[in-house]
């Protein structure tokens, strides 16, 4: 699956001074597309196409010391990077849309890839279909419509489109008149591969099946996985950067599960074994456990995998693999399909917990990072300088982050916007507000995969867990419905038991009924706690250590 060349681990933090651990900053030449390069010398200033001027500012930061064995290998020269970038086109790629099992059977699903708005649904035969989310009549969103006899119907005037995007019905058309040939919805090719729906975004070329991602661990006997979908309020590059950063886990996610502990924070070793126009790969591990070597691979446009091969106590070869499919969902937005899987037998203790428990735990992990990742996104947009001018990357923790931003230098020129290590091209225009404030709540509710879900309780707030995960997960929606119903039933029974206790003639019956009321009230509260756990955001409580 990856290169087998291995070298010795990088030195630990104790072996070199702090200043010498800083990664080097390599430059990349400008491409024909408008982009921004960082200043060549301290004190320099420059202005990019929108007239925003950057000047070198005084900062408290350590000097960069180039030292063999500490810095990453330098990239190729600028001409080579520009030539590589010129060959990349973001539209000539497959993008992960959704988990196939979560696509509604009876409703259309609105999704975006960068600034392209799409609608995904199943036709009358259960086949996945995808069109541009725009009715050719008056530009209403098809995703706000409904599925009628396997065809998607615009809710504005009732125009209907088949699976190929061809308009097959216009209620307002005179009898005998032909439907105009131009009355069609643009069609996109989709594939269901290993349980994930992928869309081919090219305008000019047919789907390239060779580029369709396929993950070898999923074909291994006994491999099982836990997959969840999460909508997140920051750019997909920020998300990918976060996911390929193992150094933050012991600190940010301290005690979130059974593995993350802040006292385990330590220097990491990295070994880059492959760089291609489509990504990079290599090994990493913890200096205190150098025998455990994880293989990390990033592949364009937005696929990250981390695989650990190991031998269990019985001498059997096992595999643990994490797959992160990070779709760009517009400026400051991303959608993540995360899949954790293993060939090892599941612990009996793990089997006791319901799936919603692991889903809410995954939500908690992303919520723990959400605040500072959103603010990081804001700083990049505000400062409008490459990351080399803002980040202080350590070779013992941030190697993959630097590799990813350098890949953006090479390939970002073929994207709508990007922030690279040495270059960048910010969004040419700010994000468009898609709905007026008065209609935002109604539009949001209508766009849910569950078309309103459990009700309107959670609809007004697009930042809470219900919006970011529950509406995208059939299992969690069913859990919320079930436990909400049970909570109400137990509450009614508890009230009835209290009333019966008041009317009871003997002390013994009063005691029994009051005890039953207490048990029923506790059960009602327990159901409420489950609903709250599934739908409520994690709030970090800081404490003095």
């Amino acid at each position: 699956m990856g290169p087998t060349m291995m070298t010795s681990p990088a030195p630990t933090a104790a072996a070199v001074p702090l200043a010498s651990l800083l990664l080097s900053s390599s430059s990349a030449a400008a491409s024909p597309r408008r982009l921004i390069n960082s200043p060549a010398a301290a004190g320099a200033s420059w202005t990019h196409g929108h007239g925003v001027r950057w000047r070198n500012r005084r900062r408290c930061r350590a000097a960069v010391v180039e030292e063999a064995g500490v810095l990453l290998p330098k990239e190729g020269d600028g001409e080579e990077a520009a030539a590589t970038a010129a060959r990349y086109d973001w539209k000539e790629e497959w993008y992960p849309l959704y988990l196939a099992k979560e696509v509604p059977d009876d409703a259309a699903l609105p999704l975006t890839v960068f600034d392209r708005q799409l609608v995904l649904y199943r036709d009358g035969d259960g086949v996945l279909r995808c069109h541009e989310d725009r009715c050719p009549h008056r530009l209403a969103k098809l995703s706000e419509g409904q599925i009628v006899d396997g065809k998607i119907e615009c809710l504005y005037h009732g125009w209907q489109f088949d699976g190929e995007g061809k308009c097959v019905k216009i209620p307002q058309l005179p009898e005998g008149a032909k439907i105009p040939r131009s009355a069609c919805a643009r069609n996109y090719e989709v594939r269901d591969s290993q349980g994930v729906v992928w869309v081919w975004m090219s305008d000019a070329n047919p789907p390239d099946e060779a580029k369709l991602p396929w993950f070898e661990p999923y074909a291994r006997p006994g491999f099982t996985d836990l997959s969840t979908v999460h909508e997140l309020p920051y750019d997909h590059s920020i998300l990918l950067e976060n996911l390929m950063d193992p150094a933050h886990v012991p600190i940010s996610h301290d005690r979130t599960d059974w593995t993350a502990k802040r006292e385990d924070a330590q220097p990491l070793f990295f070994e880059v074994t492959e760089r291609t126009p489509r990504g990079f790969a290599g090994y990493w591990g913890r200096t205190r456990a150098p025998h455990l070597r994880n293989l990390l691979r990033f592949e364009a446009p937005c696929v990250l995998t981390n695989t650990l091969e190991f031998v269990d106590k019985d001498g059997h070869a096992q595999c643990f693999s994490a797959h992160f499919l990070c779709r760009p969902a517009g400026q400051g937005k991303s959608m993540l399909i995360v899949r954790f899987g293993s060939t090892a037998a599941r612990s009996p203790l793990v089997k006791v917990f319901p799936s919603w428990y692991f889903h809410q735990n995954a939500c908690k992990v992303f919520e723990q990072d959400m605040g500072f990742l959103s603010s990081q996104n804001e700083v990049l947009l505000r400062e409008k300088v490459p990351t080399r001018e803002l980040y202080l990357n350590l070779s013992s923790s941030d190697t993959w982050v630097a590799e990813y931003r350098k890949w953006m230098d090479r390939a970002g020129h073929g994207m709508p916007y990007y922030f690279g290590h040495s270059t960048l091209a910010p969004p040419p225009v700010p994000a468009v507000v898609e709905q007026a404030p008065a209609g935002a709540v109604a539009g949001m509710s209508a766009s849910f995969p569950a078309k309103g879900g459990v009700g309107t309780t959670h609809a007004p707030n697009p930042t809470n867990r219900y919006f970011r995960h529950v509406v995208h997960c059939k299992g969690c929606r069913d859990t919320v419905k079930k436990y909400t119903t049970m909570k109400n039933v137990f509450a009614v029974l508890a009230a009835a038991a209290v009333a019966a206790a008041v009317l009871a003639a003997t002390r013994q019956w009063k005691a029994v009924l009051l005890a039953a009321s207490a048990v029923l009230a506790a059960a009602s509260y327990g159901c409420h706690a489950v609903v709250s756990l599934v739908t409520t955001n994690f709030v970090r409580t800081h404490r003095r250590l």
Side-chain angles (χ1 to χ4, degrees):
M1 182 173 177
T4 57
M5 182 182 68
M6 299 181 184
T7 62
S8 58
T12 65
V16 291
L18 174 62
S20 67
L21 291 175
L22 298 177
L23 296 177
S24 64
S25 303
S26 61
S27 60
S31 75
R33 180 184 172 187
R34 180 192 64 78
L35 56 89
I36 301 171
N37 285 288
S38 57
S45 66
W46 48 264
T47 305
H48 65 73
H50 293 288
V52 178
R53 180 174 292 276
W54 179 92
R55 290 185 182 277
N56 190 31
R57 279 159 269 188
R58 296 178 56 130
R59 307 183 205 179
C60 177
R61 61 181 293 175
V64 175
V65 180
E66 296 196 4
E67 186 172 332
V70 174
L71 303 179
L72 293 173
K74 291 186 176 181
E75 300 287 352
D77 59 29
E79 292 182 1
E80 179 184 345
T84 301
R87 292 194 297 270
Y88 186 80
D89 183 352
W90 74 271
K91 295 184 292 294
E92 301 293 318
E93 298 283 5
W94 292 96
Y95 288 82
L97 281 183
Y98 223 60
L99 286 173
K101 66 180 182 180
E102 303 295 354
V103 177
D105 296 323
D106 57 353
L109 185 63
L111 301 166
T112 57
V113 177
F114 280 114
D115 57 348
R116 299 284 182 90
Q117 296 181 343
L118 310 177
V119 57
L120 179 69
Y121 67 99
R122 294 187 183 274
D123 65 16
D125 298 322
V127 178
L128 290 163
R129 303 290 187 177
C130 185
H131 310 309
E132 184 176 21
D133 195 7
R134 177 194 297 179
C135 180
H137 178 211
R138 298 265 292 280
L139 309 183
K141 285 191 172 185
L142 293 175
S143 59
E144 293 189 17
Q146 51 198 350
I147 308 301
V148 179
D149 297 328
K151 296 175 283 292
I152 188 167
E153 180 184 87
C154 178
L155 202 59
Y156 200 2
H157 293 90
W159 289 29
Q160 293 183 5
F161 303 87
D162 65 13
E164 299 299 325
K166 178 182 177 182
C167 184
V168 295
K169 181 179 179 180
I170 300 179
Q172 298 81 13
L173 206 61
E175 185 176 354
K178 291 185 177 180
I179 296 176
R181 296 181 62 182
S182 58
C184 58
R186 182 178 176 183
N187 191 53
Y188 288 89
E189 293 283 343
V190 291
R191 299 285 187 275
D192 179 351
S193 177
Q194 296 181 307
V196 176
V197 182
W198 300 83
V199 63
W200 178 254
M201 294 300 298
S202 176
D203 301 319
N205 298 311
D208 185 347
E209 303 293 341
K211 285 186 176 180
L212 185 64
W214 186 84
F215 305 111
E216 183 272 336
Y218 282 80
R220 299 190 185 188
F223 190 90
T224 57
D225 77 295
L226 176 72
S227 301
T228 54
V229 181
H230 305 267
E231 203 165 351
L232 298 165
Y234 40 83
D235 189 74
H236 84 289
S237 67
I238 300 288
L239 173 59
L240 277 164
E241 199 180 81
N242 172 251
L243 294 170
M244 61 178 66
D245 172 21
H248 85 282
V249 174
I251 304 297
S252 299
H253 309 304
D254 181 27
R255 266 71 181 182
T256 300
D257 56 22
W258 298 280
T259 59
K261 299 177 181 178
R262 64 178 297 109
E263 55 266 28
D264 289 337
Q266 60 190 279
L268 307 175
F269 66 83
F270 300 88
E271 177 193 342
V272 181
T273 58
E274 180 182 330
R275 292 188 184 95
T276 72
R278 293 185 53 76
F280 57 88
Y283 293 92
W284 71 273
R286 298 174 175 84
T287 53
R288 298 177 193 169
H291 60 287
L292 296 177
R293 294 168 59 87
N294 295 264
L295 173 62
L296 181 139
R297 179 176 297 278
F298 167 74
E299 186 171 356
C302 52
V303 176
L304 179 69
T305 62
N306 189 87
T307 304
L308 175 64
E309 306 275 359
F310 63 97
V311 177
D312 63 19
K313 60 183 180 181
D314 298 323
H316 299 139
Q318 302 290 0
C319 167
F320 173 80
S321 191
H323 302 261
F324 304 101
L325 314 179
C326 310
R327 172 165 50 85
Q331 294 181 39
K333 296 185 293 183
S334 55
M335 180 167 279
L336 170 66
I337 299 174
V338 56
R339 314 187 77 180
F340 292 105
S342 175
T343 56
R346 297 178 65 189
S347 165
L349 181 62
V350 172
K351 294 179 181 179
V352 172
F353 290 92
S355 60
W356 60 259
Y357 176 82
F358 297 103
H359 286 211
Q360 66 83 28
N361 198 66
C363 290
K364 183 192 299 183
V365 169
F366 295 114
E367 287 157 6
Q368 288 171 337
D369 290 343
M370 192 165 58
F372 49 76
L373 294 182
S374 297
S375 62
Q376 180 185 355
N377 200 144
E378 293 171 5
V379 171
L380 286 177
L381 287 171
R382 183 175 63 248
E383 295 287 336
K384 293 184 173 62
V385 296
T387 59
R388 63 176 286 182
E389 306 297 338
L390 298 171
Y391 291 4
L392 229 59
N393 287 326
L394 302 179
S395 61
S396 56
S397 64
D398 306 311
T399 296
W400 300 136
V401 172
E403 284 292 325
Y404 175 62
R405 291 299 177 180
K406 290 176 182 177
W407 176 81
M408 292 290 272
D409 284 338
R410 302 192 298 272
H413 312 77
M415 300 179 186
Y417 50 85
Y418 79 99
F419 291 85
H421 177 71
S422 302
T423 63
L424 75 157
V429 294
V432 177
V433 177
E434 297 176 3
Q435 295 154 327
V441 172
M444 192 185 309
S445 181
S447 297
F448 280 167
K451 296 300 172 188
V454 176
T456 59
T457 303
H458 305 282
N461 185 0
T463 62
N464 65 30
R465 183 181 295 182
Y466 185 86
F467 177 83
R468 289 182 295 97
H469 170 70
V470 176
V471 297
H472 300 294
C473 178
K474 292 180 181 178
C476 287
R477 289 202 304 273
D478 290 342
T479 296
V480 171
K481 290 178 182 178
K482 180 177 70 174
Y483 279 91
T484 298
T485 301
M486 293 171 59
K487 178 191 72 172
N488 294 335
V489 170
F490 286 137
V492 170
L493 292 176
V498 170
V502 172
L503 300 175
T506 64
R507 290 185 177 180
Q508 291 84 351
W509 275 110
K510 287 181 182 290
V512 170
L513 290 169
L514 289 174
S517 176
V519 171
L520 291 168
S524 179
Y525 177 79
C527 292
H528 169 76
V530 170
V531 173
S532 179
L533 196 62
V534 173
T535 61
T536 304
N537 280 25
F538 166 83
V539 177
R540 190 185 299 277
T541 52
H542 296 279
R543 62 190 190 277
R544 187 182 297 274
L545 299 179

